[in-house]
Amino acid sequence: MFSDIPEPVPVSCSWQVNLNNADMKILIHLSSKLGAYRGVPIDKVKGEMQIEGWTRGTNFIFKTRIGPLTAVDPKGRKLEGALVFSGSRYEPTRIDVNAKSDFKLEDVANFTEVLADGVLDRVTCSSSPQLEFAGIIATSLSDKAANNARGRCMIPDGAFFGVPFNSAAFDFSYVGTDLAFSNVVAKTSGGAGVKAQALISMPDFSYDTASFSVDCALDNGSLEELMGIFNLPSDN
């Protein structure tokens, strides 16, 4: 996960163990310079990590919390929040995430391990967005019903499904196998106003079987811009 660390990392740690049942808890505090985390360049990070494990019968249960944590990239942009990984020998791992960021969109996905599988490839940002995201994410297809996360994103400029825009804001949710965009408000590169909502449904998390629907309204725009939103030819 961590790479290119330029100097020794100062860490303080406490470790608690229940000798009667082997329950354990490790708490780590860190504040240091880092090279990269999951390939995302990081200038410095400050926060804590807590690791817990306990056994009940034949079931080993674990919970790892990363955060509250503040990370700063080389350009001074911040990512704040926490991740909690929890699961057991008999239950799949789930991620509880709460993040606020002005990192690059793809860096947020990689850093938090949420939507890092290409789901957000259809949204590109020329500059860093303002992003808030919270909820529960499953880590296996068999546990897909557990997905229940929501957020809001504001992007100064970029493209959505190949359509360029100068500014955009939207709410999004990731529930089950559906990624929904709602309350989408944007300005096209030509100055037209766009209001929309869209839904991507991926029954097995594959674009080969995914379905997509969109409801869009264009204000003060041209026919060419309208055709461009739906990727239709406008030369006829």
Side-chain angles (χ1 to χ4, degrees):
M1 289 187 179
F2 297 99
S3 60
D4 304 321
I5 299 174
E7 59 188 43
V9 178
V11 173
S12 62
C13 176
S14 63
W15 191 354
Q16 301 175 15
V17 178
N18 186 323
L19 297 180
N20 293 320
N21 56 18
D23 289 0
M24 59 161 282
K25 179 186 295 185
I26 301 174
L27 182 60
I28 301 171
H29 296 272
L30 60 92
S31 178
S32 71
K33 284 184 170 293
L34 289 178
Y37 177 79
R38 293 182 58 84
V40 180
I42 299 295
D43 182 54
K44 56 186 176 182
V45 63
K46 183 176 183 179
E48 63 182 37
M49 177 184 297
Q50 181 170 290
I51 303 169
E52 296 180 78
W54 59 96
T55 301
R56 296 295 181 267
T58 60
N59 190 22
F60 176 74
I61 306 163
F62 69 89
K63 180 182 292 185
T64 299
R65 174 172 56 84
I66 303 174
L69 176 145
T70 299
V72 182
D73 77 359
K75 293 188 176 181
R77 298 173 294 206
K78 288 185 178 181
L79 171 64
E80 301 173 293
L83 288 172
V84 178
F85 299 82
S86 59
S88 71
R89 178 176 296 169
Y90 304 117
E91 295 178 346
T93 301
R94 295 178 180 177
I95 306 172
D96 191 332
V97 59
N98 191 321
K100 182 178 181 180
S101 169
D102 53 11
F103 272 29
K104 292 169 57 179
L105 188 61
E106 58 268 30
D107 285 349
V108 176
N110 287 326
F111 196 98
T112 60
E113 300 186 71
V114 173
L115 300 183
D117 54 1
V119 172
L120 292 177
D121 287 352
R122 273 55 177 174
V123 181
T124 59
C125 309
S126 302
S127 54
S128 297
Q130 297 289 319
L131 177 68
E132 296 183 17
F133 185 74
I136 296 173
I137 300 295
T139 61
S140 68
L141 183 61
S142 62
D143 196 35
K144 60 188 178 184
N147 288 326
N148 189 356
R150 289 170 171 78
R152 180 159 180 80
C153 187
M154 292 174 285
I155 306 174
D157 48 66
F160 184 66
F161 281 82
V163 181
F165 56 80
N166 289 332
S167 64
F170 56 86
D171 298 322
F172 62 93
S173 64
Y174 191 33
V175 179
T177 59
D178 292 342
L179 177 62
F181 299 88
S182 59
N183 301 317
V184 179
V185 179
K187 287 283 187 181
T188 69
S189 56
V194 177
K195 293 183 179 180
Q197 57 186 16
L199 176 67
I200 304 171
S201 182
M202 297 174 289
D204 55 3
F205 297 104
S206 168
Y207 279 115
D208 293 334
T209 58
S211 61
F212 173 72
S213 62
V214 62
D215 184 2
C216 178
L218 185 68
D219 182 29
N220 198 30
S222 66
L223 177 61
E224 287 76 15
E225 287 177 306
L226 180 63
M227 301 294 275
I229 290 175
F230 294 99
N231 291 318
L232 298 174
S234 59
D235 53 356
N236 292 323

